[in-house]
Amino acid sequence: MSNTDPSQPMATDLADLLRSAMRRLPGPVSIVSTHDLEAGEAAGMVASAVVPVSMQPASMLVAVNQQARCHAAIEGQGRFCINLLGTDQTGLVRPFSDPSQREQRFTMAQWDYADTIPFLPSAIANIFCRVENTLVHGTHELFIGDVYDVRVKDSDTSGESDPLGWMEGGFARFGALD
């Protein structure tokens, strides 16, 4: 369908405008990890589309591109862990976002396993979820997971455990205003 209203942007223009607007919205940086049953190994990806859904039941939403290897792994496993990164963990982002560095993903830091699900003990928090619901929309599938375990790293005053954020195409530090 073509756009005949000259006052309305074309779909590609709209996507570019939305992308530009979303770059201004600060977001968390996390690594979503799971165990790929088919491959018999850990799988993971960087995600900023991670949102708490409800506290009762405790649940989280993760948006995953359907073409990503991690998508099939989460579908098959039915469980995942959201590892919220701190500002001292920027070096983990590239291996988990660049397919050519896939082999380095679980060797760049110390990973532990909870019932086959990999998690990063040095993350500022680990949120373990069991897939409860899904919704496919466009290129992504939204996985809503009921939280079954949470591990929170003790905070320190040095700033090394500040949450890692993403804004304007680069890393950001999130901190309280007061």
Side-chain angles (χ1 to χ4, degrees), residues 10-20:
M10 298 296 292
T12 55
D13 295 337
L14 188 60
D16 289 342
L17 287 169
L18 179 58
R19 190 173 294 108
S20 178

PDB file of all heavy atoms in Angstrom, residues 10-20:
ATOM      1  N   MET A  10       6.556   8.415   4.777  1.00  0.00           N
ATOM      2  CA  MET A  10       6.548   7.059   4.220  1.00  0.00           C
ATOM      3  C   MET A  10       6.979   6.086   5.309  1.00  0.00           C
ATOM      4  O   MET A  10       7.611   6.489   6.291  1.00  0.00           O
ATOM      5  CB  MET A  10       7.499   6.970   3.022  1.00  0.00           C
ATOM      6  CG  MET A  10       7.122   7.885   1.862  1.00  0.00           C
ATOM      7  SD  MET A  10       5.546   7.464   1.102  1.00  0.00           S
ATOM      8  CE  MET A  10       5.956   5.906   0.356  1.00  0.00           C
ATOM      9  N   ALA A  11       6.679   4.808   5.139  1.00  0.00           N
ATOM     10  CA  ALA A  11       6.998   3.799   6.157  1.00  0.00           C
ATOM     11  C   ALA A  11       8.488   3.778   6.488  1.00  0.00           C
ATOM     12  O   ALA A  11       8.862   3.688   7.660  1.00  0.00           O
ATOM     13  CB  ALA A  11       6.520   2.430   5.708  1.00  0.00           C
ATOM     14  N   THR A  12       9.367   3.861   5.473  1.00  0.00           N
ATOM     15  CA  THR A  12      10.807   3.844   5.757  1.00  0.00           C
ATOM     16  C   THR A  12      11.224   5.102   6.497  1.00  0.00           C
ATOM     17  O   THR A  12      12.056   5.055   7.387  1.00  0.00           O
ATOM     18  CB  THR A  12      11.642   3.693   4.470  1.00  0.00           C
ATOM     19  OG1 THR A  12      11.272   4.729   3.570  1.00  0.00           O
ATOM     20  CG2 THR A  12      11.434   2.339   3.835  1.00  0.00           C
ATOM     21  N   ASP A  13      10.625   6.247   6.131  1.00  0.00           N
ATOM     22  CA  ASP A  13      10.907   7.491   6.843  1.00  0.00           C
ATOM     23  C   ASP A  13      10.419   7.391   8.285  1.00  0.00           C
ATOM     24  O   ASP A  13      11.076   7.862   9.205  1.00  0.00           O
ATOM     25  CB  ASP A  13      10.236   8.684   6.163  1.00  0.00           C
ATOM     26  CG  ASP A  13      10.792   8.956   4.767  1.00  0.00           C
ATOM     27  OD1 ASP A  13      11.942   8.551   4.499  1.00  0.00           O
ATOM     28  OD2 ASP A  13      10.075   9.554   3.955  1.00  0.00           O
ATOM     29  N   LEU A  14       9.255   6.798   8.473  1.00  0.00           N
ATOM     30  CA  LEU A  14       8.688   6.633   9.805  1.00  0.00           C
ATOM     31  C   LEU A  14       9.597   5.765  10.676  1.00  0.00           C
ATOM     32  O   LEU A  14       9.857   6.085  11.833  1.00  0.00           O
ATOM     33  CB  LEU A  14       7.286   6.029   9.715  1.00  0.00           C
ATOM     34  CG  LEU A  14       6.482   5.964  11.000  1.00  0.00           C
ATOM     35  CD1 LEU A  14       6.277   7.355  11.574  1.00  0.00           C
ATOM     36  CD2 LEU A  14       5.152   5.299  10.744  1.00  0.00           C
ATOM     37  N   ALA A  15      10.112   4.687  10.107  1.00  0.00           N
ATOM     38  CA  ALA A  15      11.032   3.815  10.848  1.00  0.00           C
ATOM     39  C   ALA A  15      12.299   4.576  11.236  1.00  0.00           C
ATOM     40  O   ALA A  15      12.786   4.447  12.368  1.00  0.00           O
ATOM     41  CB  ALA A  15      11.383   2.576  10.030  1.00  0.00           C
ATOM     42  N   ASP A  16      12.829   5.379  10.313  1.00  0.00           N
ATOM     43  CA  ASP A  16      14.021   6.178  10.619  1.00  0.00           C
ATOM     44  C   ASP A  16      13.739   7.204  11.710  1.00  0.00           C
ATOM     45  O   ASP A  16      14.550   7.426  12.601  1.00  0.00           O
ATOM     46  CB  ASP A  16      14.540   6.883   9.365  1.00  0.00           C
ATOM     47  CG  ASP A  16      15.183   5.925   8.369  1.00  0.00           C
ATOM     48  OD1 ASP A  16      15.534   4.790   8.773  1.00  0.00           O
ATOM     49  OD2 ASP A  16      15.320   6.310   7.205  1.00  0.00           O
ATOM     50  N   LEU A  17      12.564   7.843  11.629  1.00  0.00           N
ATOM     51  CA  LEU A  17      12.189   8.820  12.648  1.00  0.00           C
ATOM     52  C   LEU A  17      12.014   8.151  14.016  1.00  0.00           C
ATOM     53  O   LEU A  17      12.452   8.684  15.042  1.00  0.00           O
ATOM     54  CB  LEU A  17      10.902   9.543  12.246  1.00  0.00           C
ATOM     55  CG  LEU A  17      11.035  10.550  11.114  1.00  0.00           C
ATOM     56  CD1 LEU A  17       9.653  10.994  10.620  1.00  0.00           C
ATOM     57  CD2 LEU A  17      11.860  11.743  11.560  1.00  0.00           C
ATOM     58  N   LEU A  18      11.373   6.993  14.028  1.00  0.00           N
ATOM     59  CA  LEU A  18      11.192   6.268  15.287  1.00  0.00           C
ATOM     60  C   LEU A  18      12.540   5.848  15.861  1.00  0.00           C
ATOM     61  O   LEU A  18      12.795   5.999  17.059  1.00  0.00           O
ATOM     62  CB  LEU A  18      10.290   5.053  15.091  1.00  0.00           C
ATOM     63  CG  LEU A  18      10.046   4.216  16.343  1.00  0.00           C
ATOM     64  CD1 LEU A  18       9.420   5.050  17.449  1.00  0.00           C
ATOM     65  CD2 LEU A  18       9.184   3.008  16.010  1.00  0.00           C
ATOM     66  N   ARG A  19      13.427   5.360  14.999  1.00  0.00           N
ATOM     67  CA  ARG A  19      14.767   4.965  15.449  1.00  0.00           C
ATOM     68  C   ARG A  19      15.489   6.166  16.069  1.00  0.00           C
ATOM     69  O   ARG A  19      16.112   6.068  17.122  1.00  0.00           O
ATOM     70  CB  ARG A  19      15.568   4.395  14.273  1.00  0.00           C
ATOM     71  CG  ARG A  19      16.863   3.740  14.650  1.00  0.00           C
ATOM     72  CD  ARG A  19      17.534   3.035  13.465  1.00  0.00           C
ATOM     73  NE  ARG A  19      16.751   1.900  13.006  1.00  0.00           N
ATOM     74  CZ  ARG A  19      16.049   1.854  11.866  1.00  0.00           C
ATOM     75  NH1 ARG A  19      16.024   2.892  11.051  1.00  0.00           N
ATOM     76  NH2 ARG A  19      15.367   0.781  11.532  1.00  0.00           N
ATOM     77  N   SER A  20      15.381   7.318  15.434  1.00  0.00           N
ATOM     78  CA  SER A  20      16.004   8.529  15.951  1.00  0.00           C
ATOM     79  C   SER A  20      15.396   8.930  17.297  1.00  0.00           C
ATOM     80  O   SER A  20      16.121   9.315  18.218  1.00  0.00           O
ATOM     81  CB  SER A  20      15.835   9.665  14.932  1.00  0.00           C
ATOM     82  OG  SER A  20      16.381  10.857  15.426  1.00  0.00           O
TER      83      SER A  20
END
